[in-house]
Amino acid sequence: MKEVNFLDRVMEFEQQLDSMQKQFRELIGFVAEMTEENHSLRLENHHLRTRLDEIDKITQNIEETVRDERPKKLDVGEGVDNLARLYNEGFHVCNVHYGSSRKGEDCLFCLSFLNKQNG
């Protein structure tokens, strides 16, 4: 009787090992997905920071040019056009989520803001 009990325990242990091995494979797959997503997000972040640096340089050049020129009346429509362009490129222009990606979804705050500016 002890021999049967021993074999049962060995078989149960083997099943537990198989289960743990399956869980380990799933964990490895999850870590691989997270690593790939992390790499993708780092790359996107790098591109966005590069783009932001370019925009900052352009903005600084414009500010220097404006300081050197006589004060002129600002065209408010141009600023609204720039915000509308940013919105169409997929970024929020509302004060709630300004600058973050819209991920293809419309934002009622942004649309309300743009409609107020055009009205």
Side-chain angles (χ1 to χ4, degrees), residues 7-54:
L7 290 176
D8 287 342
R9 291 187 73 192
V10 168
M11 289 174 56
E12 183 181 326
F13 184 65
E14 182 181 17
Q15 288 173 349
Q16 288 175 351
L17 285 175
D18 287 342
S19 175
M20 287 193 311
Q21 189 175 21
K22 180 182 175 191
Q23 290 176 355
F24 185 68
R25 279 192 223 113
E26 289 173 358
L27 182 61
I28 288 174
F30 178 75
V31 168
E33 280 181 37
M34 292 297 105
T35 302
E36 185 176 319
E37 183 178 352
N38 184 34
H39 176 72
S40 174
L41 290 173
R42 285 179 181 264
L43 187 62
E44 181 180 2
N45 191 22
H46 173 73
H47 289 297
L48 290 173
R49 287 186 187 279
T50 302
R51 175 88 168 121
L52 185 60
D53 288 343
E54 291 172 3

Side-chain angles (χ1 to χ4, degrees), residues 103-116:
K103 299 177 184 167
E105 300 174 1
D106 285 331
C107 172
L108 294 178
F109 296 111
C110 291
L111 293 174
S112 174
F113 174 77
L114 290 173
N115 285 335
K116 285 180 186 176

Side-chain angles (χ1 to χ4, degrees), residues 57-68:
K57 288 178 185 175
I58 291 170
T59 303
Q60 287 175 355
N61 289 341
I62 291 172
E63 287 174 354
E64 289 173 4
T65 304
V66 168
R67 263 189 254 128
D68 293 342

Side-chain angles (χ1 to χ4, degrees), residues 82-84 86-87 91-95 97-99 110-111 113-114:
N82 286 336
L83 290 174
L86 284 172
Y87 182 80
F91 296 95
H92 284 277
V93 294
C94 62
N95 63 340
H97 303 288
Y98 183 79
C110 291
L111 293 174
F113 174 77
L114 290 173

Side-chain angles (χ1 to χ4, degrees), residues 1-11:
M1 183 140 188
K2 290 183 180 182
E3 188 175 313
V4 174
N5 188 20
F6 177 74
L7 290 176
D8 287 342
R9 291 187 73 192
V10 168
M11 289 174 56

